[in-house]
């Protein structure tokens, strides 16, 4: 009889303790959901203390770790996270557990946090470590370079700017494996921050209109004009080059005394007068008489006058160009040049439709030099000046 009573008492006591465990668990979870954090902590800690297996107390520990993590009590966070990241419990967000543990470790023990990072070498965890106060040392470098993808190495690079690992991590990135949009972003970042050596490395793997123009502007700044021209010509047909760089290229060509395609001027100068004048100068410099003749018309033919003497002395003209030059204010000077150089046929074309004794005299003289006495007499008879007629008769 006594034995039966003892067993009943033990069963009742065991039920009371079991119910106490369950009550603590239920009350703790409900209090947590309702925002009564202190009550939740007290009951869940009591439950964890009394629970007879790790499996039973794992979810309560997860909730307690979450609470202490939010309160930035990282020592207690780690206490309740211990071993949870390996639990197979659908209620527990394992990714969140590991992230909390990584963050907590960087605030408690940097060496242990690196060990944890080596175990789970994720981009997100790496950034947690980099953004902490822990030392950015060789161990971190090895984890980054040995485990992260090249895309992720590039992403963590931004957070390593003031670290001694910055250059080392950049050098261990295989840029050929990085997405184009990321190469563009990092390349622009390097150029903006005057990290030109890194920009050139990115430039070797990625080019677009902006990059090409930045590269040309950098060559210009460094006064490396040979590289500017070489790259300008290399990229001219495949990229949209800015007007400013066309102007720079033309200046280099002019300064070096080199010929160039005069159509480049169209992309450099917006002012029509300057455009036409420089275009004419370019054709003359290139001694391209046909292009010059095609280009001139009533509007821009007048700009020829600035070069008239040079054109005639160097024989850089055709019949069309001569006719335009005949309208210049220095036409009498040009007549003298033609006559002195014995360009009698050209002089006849130049004078075109004569209207003065000056014109008649040189037409008559030119025909006389060419042995055409009949034509010479026609223009001689038109002269009003008796002195000029006598000069011709006695010539």
């Amino acid at each position: 009889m006594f034995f039966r009573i003892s067993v009943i008492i033990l069963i009742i006591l065991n039920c009371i303790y079991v119910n106490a465990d369950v009550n603590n668990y239920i009350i703790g979870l409900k209090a947590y959901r309702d925002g009564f954090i202190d009550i939740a902590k007290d009951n869940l800690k009591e439950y964890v203390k009394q629970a007879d297996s790790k499996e039973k107390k794992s979810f309560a520990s997860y909730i307690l770790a979450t609470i202490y993590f939010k309160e930035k009590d990282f020592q207690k966070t780690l206490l309740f996270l211990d071993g949870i990241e390996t639990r197979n419990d659908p209620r527990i967000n394992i990714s969140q557990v590991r992230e909390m543990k990584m963050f907590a470790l960087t605030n408690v023990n940097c060496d242990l946090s690196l060990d944890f990072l080596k175990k789970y070498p994720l981009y997100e965890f790496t950034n947690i470590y980099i953004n902490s106060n822990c030392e950015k040392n060789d161990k971190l470098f090895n984890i980054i370079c040995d485990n992260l993808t090249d895309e992720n190495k590039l992403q963590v690079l931004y957070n390593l700017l003031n670290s001694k690992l910055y250059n080392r991590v950049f050098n261990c990135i295989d840029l050929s494996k990085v997405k184009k949009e990321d190469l563009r972003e990092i390349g622009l970042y390097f150029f903006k921050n005057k990290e030109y050596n890194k920009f050139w490395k990115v430039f070797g793997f990625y080019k677009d209109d902006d990059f090409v123009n930045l590269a040309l502007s950098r060559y210009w700044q460094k006064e490396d004009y040979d590289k500017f021209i070489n790259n300008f010509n290399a990229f001219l047909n495949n990229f949209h080059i800015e007007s400013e760089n066309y102007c720079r290229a033309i200046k280099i060509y002019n300064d070096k005394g080199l010929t160039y395609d005069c159509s480049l001027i169209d992309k450099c100068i917006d002012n029509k007068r300057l455009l036409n004048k420089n275009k004419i100068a370019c054709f003359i410099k290139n001694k391209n008489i046909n292009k010059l003749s095609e280009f001139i018309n009533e509007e821009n033919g007048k700009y020829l006058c600035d070069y008239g003497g040079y054109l005639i002395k160097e024989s850089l003209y055709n019949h069309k160009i001569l006719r335009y030059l005949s309208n210049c204010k220095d036409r009498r000077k040009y007549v003298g040049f033609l006559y002195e150089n014995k360009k009698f046929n050209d002089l006849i074309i130049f004078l075109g439709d004569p209207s003065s004794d000056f014109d008649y005299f040189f037409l008559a003289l030119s025909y006389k030099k060419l042995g055409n006495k009949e034509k010479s007499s026609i223009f001689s008879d038109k002269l009003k000046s008796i002195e000029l007629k006598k000069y011709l008769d006695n010539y």
Side-chain angles (χ1 to χ4, degrees), residues 25 54-60 62 84-94 97:
Y25 181 74
K54 291 182 178 180
E55 285 72 18
K56 286 184 179 180
K57 67 180 182 180
S58 61
F59 187 65
Y62 170 64
I84 289 181
E85 74 264 16
T86 59
R87 295 282 184 269
N88 185 19
D89 188 332
R91 297 170 300 173
I92 298 175
N93 185 334
I94 298 300
V97 167

Side-chain angles (χ1 to χ4, degrees), residues 13-56:
L13 289 173
N14 186 58
C15 289
I16 291 172
Y17 283 121
V18 169
N19 288 335
D21 288 347
V22 172
N23 286 336
N24 287 138
Y25 181 74
I26 293 172
I27 293 170
L29 288 183
K30 190 173 188 311
Y32 176 71
R33 294 191 186 102
D34 293 341
F36 298 105
I37 302 303
D38 289 338
I39 295 174
K41 285 194 292 186
D42 290 341
N43 281 274
L44 291 175
K45 282 192 290 185
E46 188 64 29
Y47 175 74
V48 167
K49 188 189 302 182
Q50 297 179 34
D52 58 2
S53 72
K54 291 182 178 180
E55 285 72 18
K56 286 184 179 180

Side-chain angles (χ1 to χ4, degrees), residues 177-208:
K177 296 180 180 178
V178 177
K179 294 178 183 176
K180 289 183 177 180
E181 54 267 31
D182 291 329
L183 286 175
R184 172 179 166 79
E185 182 180 342
I186 195 70
L188 292 175
Y189 174 84
F190 288 146
F191 195 92
K192 180 180 178 181
N193 289 280
K194 299 182 179 180
E195 296 186 65
Y196 299 119
N197 288 337
K198 292 184 179 64
F199 170 80
W200 289 124
K201 287 186 178 180
V202 175
F203 190 71
F205 293 90
Y206 176 82
K207 295 174 184 66
D208 63 12

Side-chain angles (χ1 to χ4, degrees), residues 8 33 38 45-46 97-98 119 183 201 259 268 280 286 290 293 300 342 364 369 385 388 390:
I8 291 171
R33 294 191 186 102
D38 289 338
K45 282 192 290 185
E46 188 64 29
V97 167
R98 291 173 181 169
K119 183 179 180 181
L183 286 175
K201 287 186 178 180
T259 58
C268 168
I280 288 171
N286 292 351
N290 291 331
S293 183
N300 57 34
K342 299 180 180 182
K369 289 286 187 180
S385 171
L388 288 176
K390 285 181 179 180

Side-chain angles (χ1 to χ4, degrees), residues 124-156:
E124 295 80 5
F125 293 1
T126 307
N127 267 339
I128 289 173
Y129 185 92
I130 291 173
N131 290 320
S132 73
N133 292 322
C134 292
E135 181 186 5
K136 284 64 176 178
N137 53 24
D138 289 342
K139 190 172 182 179
L140 173 63
F141 171 76
N142 292 331
I143 292 172
I144 292 173
C145 282
D146 293 343
N147 296 280
L148 267 64
T149 66
D150 292 286
E151 288 281 349
N152 286 338
K153 290 174 191 175
L154 195 61
Q155 294 303 317
V156 301

Side-chain angles (χ1 to χ4, degrees), residues 93-353:
N93 185 334
I94 298 300
S95 296
Q96 181 192 8
V97 167
R98 291 173 181 169
E99 187 173 343
M100 284 194 297
K101 186 168 185 178
M102 183 68 212
F103 192 92
L105 284 170
T106 59
N107 286 273
V108 174
N109 190 313
C110 292
D111 289 336
L112 290 179
S113 71
L114 277 174
D115 291 338
F116 190 75
L117 179 60
K118 188 173 182 180
K119 183 179 180 181
Y120 302 107
L122 302 176
Y123 160 68
E124 295 80 5
F125 293 1
T126 307
N127 267 339
I128 289 173
Y129 185 92
I130 291 173
N131 290 320
S132 73
N133 292 322
C134 292
E135 181 186 5
K136 284 64 176 178
N137 53 24
D138 289 342
K139 190 172 182 179
L140 173 63
F141 171 76
N142 292 331
I143 292 172
I144 292 173
C145 282
D146 293 343
N147 296 280
L148 267 64
T149 66
D150 292 286
E151 288 281 349
N152 286 338
K153 290 174 191 175
L154 195 61
Q155 294 303 317
V156 301
L157 192 68
Y158 291 105
N159 291 326
L160 288 169
L161 180 60
N162 297 316
S163 164
K164 62 184 180 181
L165 298 184
Y166 179 66
N167 290 323
R168 293 175 64 192
V169 170
F170 176 75
N171 290 330
C172 82
I173 299 173
D174 184 349
L175 294 174
S176 67
K177 296 180 180 178
V178 177
K179 294 178 183 176
K180 289 183 177 180
E181 54 267 31
D182 291 329
L183 286 175
R184 172 179 166 79
E185 182 180 342
I186 195 70
L188 292 175
Y189 174 84
F190 288 146
F191 195 92
K192 180 180 178 181
N193 289 280
K194 299 182 179 180
E195 296 186 65
Y196 299 119
N197 288 337
K198 292 184 179 64
F199 170 80
W200 289 124
K201 287 186 178 180
V202 175
F203 190 71
F205 293 90
Y206 176 82
K207 295 174 184 66
D208 63 12
D209 293 343
D210 290 333
F211 268 46
V212 165
N213 283 291
L214 288 175
L216 290 173
S217 69
R218 182 59 185 156
Y219 289 135
W220 178 263
Q221 291 167 4
K222 292 175 64 181
E223 300 182 1
D224 194 341
Y225 300 134
D226 289 336
K227 281 190 177 179
F228 183 101
I229 288 299
N230 290 338
N231 282 272
F232 177 84
N233 289 323
F235 301 135
L236 188 60
N237 296 323
N238 297 318
F239 296 94
H240 174 72
I241 295 177
E242 294 172 352
S243 174
E244 183 178 26
N245 283 321
Y246 275 95
C247 296
R248 288 167 172 170
I250 291 168
K251 185 177 189 313
I252 294 171
Y253 280 125
N254 287 332
D255 290 347
K256 289 179 174 288
L258 302 172
T259 58
Y260 56 91
D261 185 346
C262 298
S263 65
L264 298 181
I265 297 174
D266 296 338
K267 302 291 182 68
C268 168
I269 304 173
D270 293 329
N271 182 289
K272 192 172 184 180
R273 179 181 176 279
L274 287 175
L275 171 63
N276 293 342
K277 190 169 182 179
N278 280 273
K279 200 80 170 281
I280 288 171
C282 180
F283 290 136
I284 292 171
K285 184 174 183 178
N286 292 351
K287 297 184 177 182
N288 196 329
I289 299 171
N290 291 331
K291 285 283 188 180
L292 176 61
S293 183
E294 291 172 6
F295 181 71
I296 59 175
N297 53 40
E298 290 182 3
E299 182 179 352
N300 57 34
K302 59 188 176 183
Y303 300 124
L304 280 178
C305 295
D306 293 338
Y307 310 97
Y310 178 80
L311 289 171
I312 290 174
K313 286 181 179 180
E314 298 296 324
S315 297
L316 296 174
Y317 58 79
N318 57 20
H319 293 176
K320 182 179 180 182
I321 292 172
L322 280 175
R323 285 194 293 272
Y324 273 102
L325 289 176
S326 69
N327 294 314
C328 297
K329 65 180 181 179
D330 290 333
R331 68 188 300 272
R332 291 196 173 192
K333 185 191 298 183
Y334 302 156
V335 169
F337 291 155
L338 290 167
Y339 182 78
E340 289 169 5
N341 288 281
K342 299 180 180 182
K343 304 283 187 179
F344 303 122
N345 284 314
D346 294 339
L347 182 52
I348 291 168
I349 295 168
F350 181 85
L351 290 170
D353 298 323

